[in-house]
């Protein structure tokens, strides 16, 4: 007798109940997440793809072997085959989708921003709490190895009390989006929202209290009159005294650039390098190294990490590691930054 | 009607015929490979685990959801449920397992060294050819991002003609193995075999022609009398004039260290950094960064890459990208290095 | 006949008229500059050292072979043996000394800040212009190899139009000064003044137009009530749209840290590493590298460079490369930062 | 009374007896050294320049303000105005010049190689000992900050017992010398001699015992038939078990490359980076940094350091820190490497 029978009993147990996941949105990030779920997350399976463009849904489902493709979100939310959803639809639809999914009893992974108003953030948080579902927000940087190691070092008291922080996001250029189709304040609500969360993540236990922001249209000066801002610097003060800077640009010619720095009474930590491999080339013009061009390359392991954490939280009935409250905090900074640009003054955050 | 039905037709097609893989050997590397196959390789499934220690096989199969666990290789080779095997058994058994697996019509991924004599290497190559199977050898470094990028740059003529090469392997210390249980010449046949292949990989089209080796027992001087060598430097000359150095130690206190350098008429390329993340810490003692401690960390993406390539070769009926001939070439260098140490002289390789 | 006689005629010509320099102030930086002049600047000789503490002056003069040591500035300014002075006295005395030296016809190298009010800055500039002397300000970073290379790359259009800049200064910790003896606003007027100049230097041709500052006592919270600020972040907007951040701390445990970053439409440049040599150590705890502990180590070649430039300007009758106008511009930012902290609002700079 | 008079008494004392130095050879390195002595070494003055091409001597003397220029070495050796000489003449004349200078009672700094036969090395050592002069050899790398820090770390037991070492020299390309004018074995006797000394320097207290060398004409294959070798790899074994590799090429397109690595029971140290500043540029093609093109740039502070040490040894009547014995040891390795190439076998060094 081989050992296989006994083994079978045990080994099929966890595998027989994978978390069945549907993705809502089959765009660039939706496809990235769907592929990760389908291929790289133990204990998860991709069972459905939804996108208003039915063809996109079908193409992605086919490619990844997901049995269901649909143009209708309801098909996903009412399906008994779906345990959890990944919301990667346009940002302004996120809250409604979170609330609907929670009402349907589906666990939710929602791309940032979870909401663009505090009322909506509260609505999403309440819906998740009422439904008792796992609600995780897509602040991917927390799962990037360098950023996670930074936080571990901070927790280990390597930097002492944080005093000066910096987080930046520069999207790869050249910038090709149509400014007319970019919602106003996107740089704060969708781009810098990552940095606002990163600053909180790397200053654990501290609360943001005051925000000053400067923004301009330096990449597309022609679009400034229509309110399109593509370059910004935000100063955030925390209640432990730390002063932080968040910085963003929509167009970095050298690729996707995501970095952080934390300086404190005990030392300094940096995270993020932007390099794509550890290969270096020395040629007639000097040293050269390749840079990462896309977030899905630079942050691949972060994406895998956050989706693994989401599935683990569902399987182990533990709270999400990035919560709706984290999203609300980052949003409160973003909204204060918007107000700061509008008024030209620093803005105090409510308690 | 949802789009799911049409989608189903297409999407289940590839998924319905995954490559069914058994691992022969459930030790450290066997477990690593089995987990990668079970979780991270699209188009593959882990169906069996074999290990002479039945408990080890069962434990691994259970953990990864593989339906078959067995203490007998024959169970695997005779099973209709198995398309391909990963051979991670002790090195000296590799050739016989390759030959048996090929005879059984199973595709083979064999850890290095495929063989420890040229006759065995030829026997493995012939068996694979006769059976028409895919035979891939576990020279993982070819798939490490930095090394792959190095080769791409070399192919793009960035370094011109290679003139000086270097490849090194330093296993993480402190060294805890029992020298009495380490077969003689392991440093050449099992450790530096990686570097010999790397040198050939980074000097494409060139043939090694002459080898000089120096080796000693510097980590465990007490074991030298029994023939245990733990430190070595090998000089390899190629027919395009390039002079290469391969270097190994069994005990690097700072972790697993795998690097290469290629210098040529057009410039220089380096690959490998040894750092585990892009986090840096500046403290009272200066700059600090973490190093990788295990090959399975440092080379994780390389392991995924080589197993993905193996599965792809099977699925697309294309030749393996690392062949038995590559293994034979690296072995010929290793055997010449052994002879060089024995004789104290440089050794010419036969044509 | 040897060739020496003819040679003598030519070779002694330049050497026979070195620029004769006196240093006013024999403290830490005064001593550093005096030693550089005495030993490392071709075409210069240190002829006098002045310090109110006569013993200090004498000790330094003795050590460096300067014939004159005096406790009285007048001795220096009235001496026929002195062509130029280095003003390294306490900051608040700088302007008066510049004016007096100019009136005496001496060329002036003045440590930053040249002045702490705009009226004083104008007074110094006018005095130098009236006297026709060379007036150079000690913005050393312009001469640090990495910063100079950054500017050269910017001039070569490598970054296109600057959009986001950063400059930081962190003094080596732990902080040991007595807060009661540190003049108010020192962090802006004496520390960040370097960064304000660096930002202008790396954004050539642009004019600062708006300043927002945040500052706190995070290193010595106990001294906050007396107005001692040791940590600050300043946002500076320029008329070419660029948004810059300047950041300072009085206490970096890992050493002296001076860096800059310029991001623009064409790419990014960084300058400054903080490492003291190119030696790296990999030990049981990972990678380690030493950091520079003192400005006089990290910026040694910058100090030599700026003093060489000063002497060259005198010898070649060319304008100083860092002028009183540069000092005034940096000061205008510093004063706006002070006002911003006082008012909590951003401050516009006058045209 | 000012303090200047008293000061004068003390301060002129050391300055009144500078070490008066003549340079023998006004070529590229001779000029470099002469300029350093003239400008950058406290307590030294350049009093004479000698070169068989009188015009070269005169031009250099004029530029540096040296009173004596001559085409005749005797003028220098018989001059009462000269305390010490820098020998930067062609390599094969070094020994005779050392002996002659020692006989004339002049302290000697001689560029490597001090000798090209062991008999000559002994002759030079004996001449210096007989005359009681300081004899220092130009192994500049010992004074490069990274290499010096490496040695300090080794002395501090950071790497434990050295087991594997590497030192390399790559001259900046493209190679423009006329092979017909390059003496045979130059790559060992004049280039790798640096690396042989570096390996001894970084393995303190150990003695080289066995050498194996491989060399070829890869830069100028057309010149191989005339014995011109431009690429080499040498393996050196030491009596403490350490195995070292020295590697050289005459043509590195990316600039001058000088690096070392020491691996031992406690960790690893690397020295040398090849980068010219700490500036980095991120552009459309990725990361870029400038490399040093000339030894006189990359090793400038090493040149200053070694000449400062030479002058200090003379002034303080202490032994040279790099001795004739060091030169002899490096030479013994070089000569063994020559013999190894001639015979194709490893060569044992005599005790």
């Amino acid at each position: 007798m081989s050992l296989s029978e006994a083994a079978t009993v045990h080994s099929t147990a966890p595998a027989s109940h994978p978390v069945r996941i549907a993705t809502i949105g089959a765009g660039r990030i939706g496809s990235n997440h769907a592929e990760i779920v389908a291929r790289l997350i133990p204990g998860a399976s991709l069972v459905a793809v939804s996108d208003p463009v039915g063809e996109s849904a079908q193409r992605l489902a086919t490619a990844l072997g997901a049995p269901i493709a649909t143009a209708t979100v309801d098909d996903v939310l009412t399906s008994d085959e779906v345990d959890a959803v990944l919301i990667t639809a346009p940002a302004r639809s996120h809250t409604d989708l979170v609330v609907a999914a929670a009402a349907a009893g589906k666990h939710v992974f929602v791309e940032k921003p979870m909401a663009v108003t505090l009322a909506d953030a509260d609505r999403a948080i309440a819906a998740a709490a009422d439904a008792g579902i796992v609600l995780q927000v897509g602040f991917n940087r927390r799962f990037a190895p360098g950023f996670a190691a930074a936080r571990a070092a901070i927790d280990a008291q390597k930097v002492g009390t944080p005093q000066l922080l910096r987080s930046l996001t520069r999207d790869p250029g050249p910038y090709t989006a149509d400014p007319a189709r970019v919602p106003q304040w996107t740089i704060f609500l969708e781009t810098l929202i990552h940095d606002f969360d990163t600053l909180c993540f790397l200053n654990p236990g501290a609360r943001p209290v005051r925000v000053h922001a400067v923004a301009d249209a330096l990449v597309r000066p022609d679009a400034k009159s229509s309110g399109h801002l593509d370059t910004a610097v935000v100063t955030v003060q925390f209640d432990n005294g730390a002063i932080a800077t968040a910085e963003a640009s929509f167009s970095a010619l050298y690729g996707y650039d995501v970095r952080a720095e934390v300086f404190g009474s005990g030392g300094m930590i940096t995270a993020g390098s932007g390099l794509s491999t550890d290969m270096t080339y020395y040629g007639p013009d000097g040293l050269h190294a390749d840079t990462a061009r896309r977030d899905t390359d630079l942050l691949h392991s972060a994406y895998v990490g956050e989706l693994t954490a989401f599935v683990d939280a569902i399987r182990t009935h533990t709270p999400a590691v990035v919560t709706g409250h984290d999203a609300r905090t980052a949003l409160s900074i973003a909204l204060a930054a918007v107000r700061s640009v509008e008024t030209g003054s620093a803005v105090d955050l409510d308690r």
Side-chain angles (χ1 to χ4, degrees), chain A:
Chain A
M1 184 195 91
S2 88
L3 293 161
S4 63
E5 283 145 84
T8 303
V9 177
H10 299 284
S11 65
T12 54
S16 64
H17 302 303
V19 176
R20 297 163 304 174
I21 295 182
T23 186
I24 298 175
R28 193 178 68 89
I29 283 297
S31 300
N32 176 70
H33 289 10
E35 182 171 353
I36 288 172
V37 165
R39 300 190 165 163
L40 303 180
I41 311 291
S45 68
L46 182 75
V47 295
V49 175
S50 150
D51 196 281
V53 182
E55 263 180 45
S56 299
Q58 186 170 354
R59 202 179 312 116
L60 186 60
T62 299
L64 299 173
I68 305 172
T70 174
T72 314
V73 171
D74 274 358
D75 284 359
V76 163
L77 297 186
T78 60
S79 167
D80 285 351
E81 308 291 310
V82 172
D83 300 319
V85 295
L86 309 185
I87 299 175
T88 63
R92 310 298 154 123
S93 66
H94 286 180
T95 306
D96 287 345
L97 287 167
V98 171
V99 170
K106 310 302 187 196
H107 299 291
V108 173
F109 177 96
V110 60
E111 260 306 315
K112 50 86 215 170
M114 180 184 75
V116 297
T117 69
L118 292 179
D120 269 3
D122 290 334
R123 198 158 57 92
I125 291 168
D130 290 351
I133 58 154
V134 170
L135 169 61
Q136 184 175 327
V137 181
F139 289 139
N140 47 39
R141 267 162 238 185
R142 292 182 177 221
F143 299 89
F147 285 70
R151 170 63 183 264
I154 289 163
D155 286 343
Q157 295 301 317
K158 291 279 190 185
V159 298
T161 304
Q163 295 170 340
L164 293 164
L165 297 98
R166 183 196 199 202
S167 177
L168 67 83
T169 301
R170 295 180 189 151
D171 288 325
Y175 186 61
T176 56
D178 175 359
R181 307 187 56 159
V182 176
Q184 209 185 6
W185 308 121
T186 286
I187 196 164
F188 297 115
L189 295 171
E190 303 193 31
T191 302
L192 281 160
I193 196 92
H194 273 304
D195 300 283
F196 300 144
D197 181 66
T198 296
L199 295 174
C200 294
F201 176 63
L202 297 178
N203 191 10
R207 202 173 58 82
V209 292
R210 193 173 167 85
V211 173
H212 178 265
V214 172
D216 208 337
L218 302 181
V219 176
R220 290 290 303 269
D222 57 307
K224 187 174 184 179
S225 57
S226 63
H228 181 261
L229 298 171
D230 51 41
T231 306
V233 172
V234 182
T235 308
V236 183
Q237 293 173 261
F238 287 85
D239 65 357
N240 66 342
I243 310 169
T245 307
E247 187 197 295
S249 167
F250 281 178
S251 182
L253 275 202
Y254 55 91
Y256 190 59
D257 191 1
V258 163
R259 285 176 286 142
E261 182 174 313
V262 183
F263 170 83
S265 54
M268 173 177 69
I269 277 175
T270 70
S273 83
L275 300 183
S276 55
T277 75
D278 55 23
M279 192 270 276
T280 62
Y281 170 61
Y282 291 73
D285 295 327
L287 167 68
H288 178 87
D290 290 332
T291 43
R293 299 290 154 165
R294 293 182 302 188
D295 56 345
T296 46
D297 290 337
L298 186 68
L299 296 179
H300 174 72
S301 60
Y303 286 125
V304 174
E306 67 178 356
L307 291 168
T308 299
F310 175 58
V311 169
D312 285 352
I314 295 170
R315 290 168 64 100
T316 60
H317 307 290
T318 49
V321 294
V322 192
T323 68
H325 292 282
D326 293 323
R328 191 190 193 281
T329 300
L331 174 63
S332 71
I333 300 174
L335 293 172
V338 168
R339 225 170 335 134
S340 178
V341 170
E342 288 176 329
T343 64
S345 300
V347 172
D348 288 321
L349 294 178
D350 297 331
R351 288 218 64 107

